[in-house]
Amino acid sequence: MVTLVEFVVLAVVALLAGTLARRAVARRAAGRTTSASAGAVVAVPCQARWRQGARRRFFGYGKLGAGADGTGSVFKAPLRGAVPLPMGGRAAVRESLRPGMRVLEYRAPDGQRIDFQVYDAEAERAARLLGVPDPADW
């Protein structure tokens, strides 16, 4: 009986912690989106994974942001140099296995394939940073 009660208490605490974490992440994402809509250049936190090339086995947490001169985009991981990304490719957004996140599958014009795992609220802004054309503009 005691084990059952401990299991229920542990499940309730885990649910509460998960809910609080998702709300905090959503609040931060909404704040970054508001700042970006006001004209500020705000980097998108994400996890990047290259599918081929020299960085094929690399995946890492970092930020997707605008280039130093304001054009192009770069991926900047902590303690690593900024990696310039090719602009103007295609992107497909799919659900992630992690709740509250989506995977932006990016195909660059030169054939590179890079997956970015971003928060739900920031998937569209990440696609705009990569220069993906909006289908509504066609």
Side-chain angles (χ1 to χ4, degrees):
M1 183 67 173
V2 172
T3 304
L4 181 62
V5 171
E6 290 173 352
F7 180 73
V8 169
V9 168
L10 183 62
V12 168
V13 169
L15 273 165
L16 180 64
T19 302
L20 291 175
R22 280 192 295 276
R23 284 186 181 171
V25 165
R27 188 176 61 246
R28 288 181 190 158
R32 284 190 294 269
T33 302
T34 303
S35 295
S37 66
V41 177
V42 182
V44 176
C46 62
Q47 178 182 5
R49 182 174 65 122
W50 276 257
R51 295 231 173 163
Q52 76 275 349
R55 296 179 156 268
R56 181 178 71 225
R57 297 195 186 276
F58 173 77
F59 73 93
Y61 294 95
K63 293 188 178 185
L64 178 64
D69 58 353
T71 61
S73 60
V74 295
F75 177 76
K76 176 70 174 109
L79 303 177
R80 293 184 186 258
V83 178
L85 300 169
M87 298 285 293
R90 297 180 321 212
V93 179
R94 65 176 169 81
E95 292 294 323
S96 173
L97 296 175
R98 293 176 61 184
M101 301 201 81
R102 295 184 187 227
V103 175
L104 180 73
E105 297 173 341
Y106 179 66
R107 284 184 185 245
D110 62 358
Q112 280 188 0
R113 294 176 58 194
I114 309 168
D115 292 343
F116 295 99
Q117 188 167 11
V118 297
Y119 297 115
D120 283 341
E122 296 178 318
E124 184 178 326
R125 197 159 55 87
R128 296 294 157 253
L129 277 172
L130 290 168
V132 174
D134 190 359
D137 294 340
W138 296 345

